[in-house]
Amino acid sequence: MRIDAYNAISQTYGAKGKYKAGAAAKTSSADKVEISDFGRELQVAKQAVAAAPDVREDRVSELKSRIQNGTYSVSGESFAEKLLAKYEEMRG
């Protein structure tokens, strides 16, 4: 039950009776929030990722047609090189 959880938290942190309803609502007019340049850049990056499609349909359809036509071939050596490069990149 929610009340039990609140009581348990209050007892854990010793907050019993210290906080009153509405106390958090009082704020100074001088309160100010500043977002760093990194925070702004991060927000822009998040928006760009959210706007990007999960699947590149144009690339998928091209590859599907090449596979169906039998014109798609992968060099085993090229694949192995890319796989090892990715592994090395992940290891740092």
Side-chain angles (χ1 to χ4, degrees), residues 7-16 18-19:
N7 288 337
I9 291 171
S10 294
Q11 290 172 356
T12 301
Y13 291 102
K16 194 172 191 177
K18 289 185 182 177
Y19 301 104

Side-chain angles (χ1 to χ4, degrees), residues 28-58:
S28 169
S29 61
D31 289 346
K32 185 174 153 183
V33 174
E34 291 185 27
I35 300 174
S36 67
D37 289 337
F38 177 75
R40 283 188 218 102
E41 291 173 4
L42 183 61
Q43 185 64 30
V44 169
K46 282 182 174 182
Q47 290 173 348
V49 168
D54 289 338
V55 178
R56 293 174 45 195
E57 292 295 333
D58 57 332

Side-chain angles (χ1 to χ4, degrees), residues 79-92:
F79 176 77
E81 287 174 2
K82 289 179 183 180
L83 184 64
L84 289 173
K86 198 58 131 168
Y87 175 73
E88 287 296 322
E89 180 182 305
M90 290 174 61
R91 284 185 54 203

